[in-house]
Amino acid sequence: MSAAKGMLDGKSALVTGAGSGIGRATALAFAREGAWVAAADQTLEAAQGTVAAIEAQGGQAVAIACDVTDDAAVEAMVAAAVAAFGGLDCAFNNAGIAPHQVNATGVLAADLAEASWQRLLDVNLTGVWRCLRHEVAQMRKQGGGAIVNTASIAGLRGLPGAAGYVVGKHGVVGLTKAAAIDHAAENIRVNAVCPGYIETPMTEESMRRRGDKIIARTALGRFGQPGEIAEAVVWLCSDRASFVTGSNWTVDGGYSAI
């Protein structure tokens, strides 16, 4: 009997924000399913940590340093992934920042500093677009591919004291729909995942301040784990999702259902 094949055998994948949290979990899941992985993060050391974890489980990966607010760096990142693996079949645009990283936690919409607003949008929305445009440029040469963007439940609803984050993630949802329509004829599928509250370094501040309240209104009664988002991303990038594009997959333990 032949060994079972992974969902992504023979495919190459790029993950941004791969140094920790959802990005690292997804990079590991891509490798588990047979993909070659380009793990990109703002710091090379973080990306290298993910590559080491992938290699420890028998996978192949390369580490790339990339700041998604720098278009030239993004272009170079995609080129490096293609150089390493000969093409780009799957991309997970996951790099992002939280309000507390720009002193915007709990700040009312009209009181938000312009610098905080601009930084949140530049990373969380424009950064996704920068990645997408260079990924599409490569995928259209190959005859297709699959892209998944990280949005959020904040891209589907309002959250108090998080205007810049909410606007950016709503933008990712809109970008996903628009790009899916624009590039469907090129055999490029574009989808998004909308995580709820997941245990990652980015959500430590939220867990500390109001973890009990979040859990109380989450139907499954707990925070999610990064690997639970990774499973959705891997499926969306696989041929099993061949008729899925322009969608926004909510993975939030029922938070939005209450």
Side-chain angles (χ1 to χ4, degrees), residues 148-175:
V148 177
N149 302 320
T150 296
S152 167
I153 54 171
L156 305 172
R157 60 186 296 135
L159 295 176
Y165 188 79
V166 167
V167 170
K169 293 301 186 179
H170 270 70
V172 172
V173 169
L175 172 63

Side-chain angles (χ1 to χ4, degrees), residues 42-114:
Q42 187 171 13
T43 65
L44 184 61
E45 293 77 12
Q48 288 171 331
T50 297
V51 168
I54 289 171
E55 291 176 342
Q57 68 178 26
Q60 283 187 268
V62 294
I64 303 170
C66 181
D67 178 353
V68 298
T69 67
D70 181 341
D71 190 67
V74 172
E75 184 177 18
M77 171 188 70
V78 173
V82 172
F85 303 124
L88 181 63
D89 301 300
C90 313
F92 181 36
N93 298 323
N94 170 70
I97 58 173
H100 72 84
Q101 293 174 274
V102 291
N103 299 314
T105 300
V107 179
L108 303 182
D111 299 330
L112 188 62
E114 184 170 348

Side-chain angles (χ1 to χ4, degrees), residues 20 27 44 53 59 77-78 109 120 126 128 141 167 175 184 206 216:
S20 64
L44 184 61
M77 171 188 70
V78 173
L120 284 164
T126 309
V128 171
K141 296 177 188 176
V167 170
L175 172 63
S206 293

